[in-house]
Amino acid sequence: MKTYLVGGAVRDALLGLPPGDRDWVVVGATQAQMEAQGFRAVGRDFPVFLHPDTQEEYALARTERKSGRGYRGFVVDADPSVTLEEDLGRRDFTLNAIARDADGVLVDPYHGVDDIEARVLRHVGPAFVEDPLRVLRAARFMARLAPLGFRVAPETLTLMRQVADSGELDALVPERVWQELRKALASPRPSAFLRTLHEAGALAHVLPEVDALYGVPQRAEFHPEVDTGVHQELVSDMAARLAPGDEVIGYAALTHDLGKALTPADVLPRHIGHEQAGIKPLLALSARLKVPTEHRELAVMACREHLNVHRIDELRDATVHDLLARCDGFRKPARIAQLALVCECDKRGRAGSAEDAYPQGETLKRLHAAACAVSARDVATEGLKGLQIGEAVRKVRIAAIGAARSTAG
């Protein structure tokens, strides 16, 4: 029985990245032997155990054979005769198929170290096409590794296109798609996730509302990048830059312009009313992927209000108040700062605008703070009832917004 460190811990050490969870593979053991040493079995689909002291995961070396559609259609063989090389051979990418023994010696039968040095994401073998989830994993790895100079190997991209054409991606359950998407949105370069899937023909299967943005033109005076899909990539990357690791901001940034895909051809490159038009596909996407409520609600606000925030200096005081109220900004004040940030991502996510200032965001937050300083206790409501009280508070808040504007600077 021999134990090896495998997977991400070995890969990240070779890349010089901060270490994450450590995973181990055990060769030449049975479940009974593991349990006899105090390991606790936790795997449902294959034999995985928790170490009695460290609680780290130890899996028996195994092979997998395709038996049905989807990412769970596999028969697993964890016989003690399965070798380390066979176990590594079932893995997705060469950089994940490297093991390290107790003496620190690397076992690298698929040349993952060479690919790490060459900055190439490459599949291990032809069995790559048997698991459709690997297409999403490839794109998600690119969201993390593209800043380090990685590219997808051409032959791997070819296999990804093969999976997309096969219809296997349709077998992925929504929860798994969402898990990969949220990890990508929390990565340094979400655009690499989107572009990789788009180039593989897979984005249309898993995020058709986003894929539809590619090739849709915008007015060049506002969007030098012209292509709405390219604009979306820039906005998503700006969200990763301004709110690193924040998938809530990332999701709102991703979905703020979905309405532009619905603009009639005879209206292009203008997109009149795309804010309202985008709400329906945004809600459909969120429902299909079972996106958390917090993500969905901020995304709807950003979709609906981003043009209003961009032109906040032109809005009347009452209009600003009603925008804040629509966003439930008086009961949930943190939302307004989030909205301001998403709108900044939109404005700076354009060719040549990455370093532009966005004073509208600070204005929105300042006017919101002024309005929030007013409460019902501060308003003369004696003799008023019901809706009259709310209207009285609204008027005082509008006056506070106006006063804050007049004293700006």
Side-chain angles (χ1 to χ4, degrees):
M1 186 169 78
K2 295 192 67 174
T3 301
Y4 300 85
L5 184 67
V6 293
V10 179
R11 175 197 69 225
D12 291 346
L14 293 170
L15 286 167
L17 296 175
D21 294 336
R22 301 198 304 173
D23 295 307
W24 305 83
V25 66
V26 182
V27 178
T30 66
Q31 179 165 342
Q33 288 174 309
M34 296 295 288
E35 291 177 340
Q37 294 186 42
F39 286 82
R40 179 166 60 89
V42 294
R44 183 181 66 175
D45 300 318
F46 47 84
V48 178
F49 307 84
L50 295 184
H51 191 282
D53 299 321
T54 67
Q55 298 301 300
E56 291 177 335
E57 288 192 358
Y58 286 66
L60 297 184
R62 66 185 189 274
T63 59
E64 296 172 346
R65 178 172 53 83
K66 186 73 169 175
S67 62
R69 281 176 61 85
Y71 67 97
R72 298 186 69 175
F74 290 89
V75 173
V76 174
D77 177 13
D79 189 85
S81 63
V82 175
T83 67
L84 176 63
E85 184 171 334
E86 287 174 324
D87 180 90
L88 296 175
R90 67 172 175 78
R91 296 173 186 266
D92 47 11
F93 307 107
T94 59
L95 51 70
N96 291 330
I98 308 169
R100 192 175 74 201
D101 68 15
D103 297 321
V105 177
L106 295 179
V107 181
D108 182 23
Y110 303 100
H111 310 292
V113 173
D114 291 342
D115 284 340
I116 286 176
E117 292 176 350
R119 295 302 195 249
V120 174
L121 184 69
R122 191 190 314 275
H123 64 285
V124 170
F128 178 88
V129 299
E130 296 179 351
D131 184 355
L133 186 63
R134 289 177 170 176
V135 173
L136 290 182
R137 282 175 57 81
R140 194 248 297 169
F141 271 115
M142 286 303 298
R144 184 185 183 205
L145 298 177
L148 301 179
F150 273 80
R151 59 183 176 84
V152 180
E155 59 270 31
T156 301
L157 193 60
T158 297
L159 292 185
M160 292 170 66
R161 293 193 183 107
Q162 181 179 328
V163 175
D165 292 342
S166 73
E168 280 273 306
L169 290 170
D170 299 329
L172 294 175
V173 297
E175 291 86 351
R176 293 309 300 264
V177 177
W178 169 245
Q179 288 304 314
E180 296 298 322
L181 174 58
R182 60 181 286 269
K183 290 176 183 177
L185 293 175
S187 297
R189 195 169 295 173
S191 66
F193 176 83
L194 300 175
R195 181 163 291 273
T196 300
L197 290 180
H198 180 65
E199 290 178 350
L203 192 63
H205 290 272
V206 294
L207 296 173
E209 298 86 352
V210 178
D211 188 72
L213 296 174
Y214 284 89
V216 177
Q218 303 164 107
R219 293 171 64 183
E221 64 267 37
F222 300 120
H223 289 276
E225 70 282 355
V226 180
D227 189 307
T228 307
V230 175
H231 168 58
Q232 181 53 63
E233 291 180 4
L234 294 171
V235 174
S236 289
D237 282 354
M238 186 57 65
R241 172 182 166 183
L242 299 181
D246 191 331
E247 65 188 60
V248 179
I249 296 294
Y251 184 69
L254 174 69
T255 55
H256 80 286
D257 260 354
L258 295 183
K260 288 183 176 178
L262 304 176
T263 300
D266 61 341
V267 179
L268 296 173
R270 304 178 71 193
H271 292 278
I272 301 170
H274 75 275
E275 323 91 276
Q276 290 296 328
I279 294 176
K280 183 176 180 180
L282 168 54
L283 291 175
L285 171 62
S286 301
R288 186 176 71 252
L289 297 189
K290 302 180 182 179
V291 174
T293 301
E294 179 186 10
H295 298 61
R296 184 192 71 240
E297 289 182 347
L298 179 64
V300 169
M301 283 185 281
C303 180
R304 184 184 65 225
E305 308 291 354
H306 64 276
L307 290 191
N308 287 329
V309 177
H310 292 340
R311 60 189 184 94
I312 191 168
D313 292 331
E314 304 169 21
L315 302 183
R316 295 187 305 166
D317 298 339
T319 305
V320 173
H321 172 278
D322 294 346
L323 183 159
L324 298 171
R326 278 196 304 275
C327 295
D328 206 10
F330 298 115
R331 289 196 317 121
K332 300 178 180 179
R335 282 185 167 183
I336 302 305
Q338 289 178 308
L339 174 63
L341 186 53
V342 177
C343 293
E344 181 175 356
C345 295
D346 174 39
K347 201 68 170 180
R348 294 172 61 181
R350 307 174 191 214
S353 297
E355 305 307 322
D356 288 358
Y358 188 66
Q360 298 97 318
E362 293 304 316
T363 298
L364 176 66
K365 291 186 287 186
R366 181 167 51 81
L367 300 184
H368 176 235
C372 282
V374 176
S375 70
R377 295 188 299 273
D378 304 320
V379 180
T381 57
E382 187 174 350
L384 302 180
K385 297 181 180 179
L387 296 177
Q388 294 175 323
I389 296 175
E391 184 58 30
V393 173
R394 177 177 181 271
K395 288 180 179 179
V396 177
R397 283 177 170 162
I398 291 171
I401 290 171
R405 273 183 159 161
S406 66
T407 58

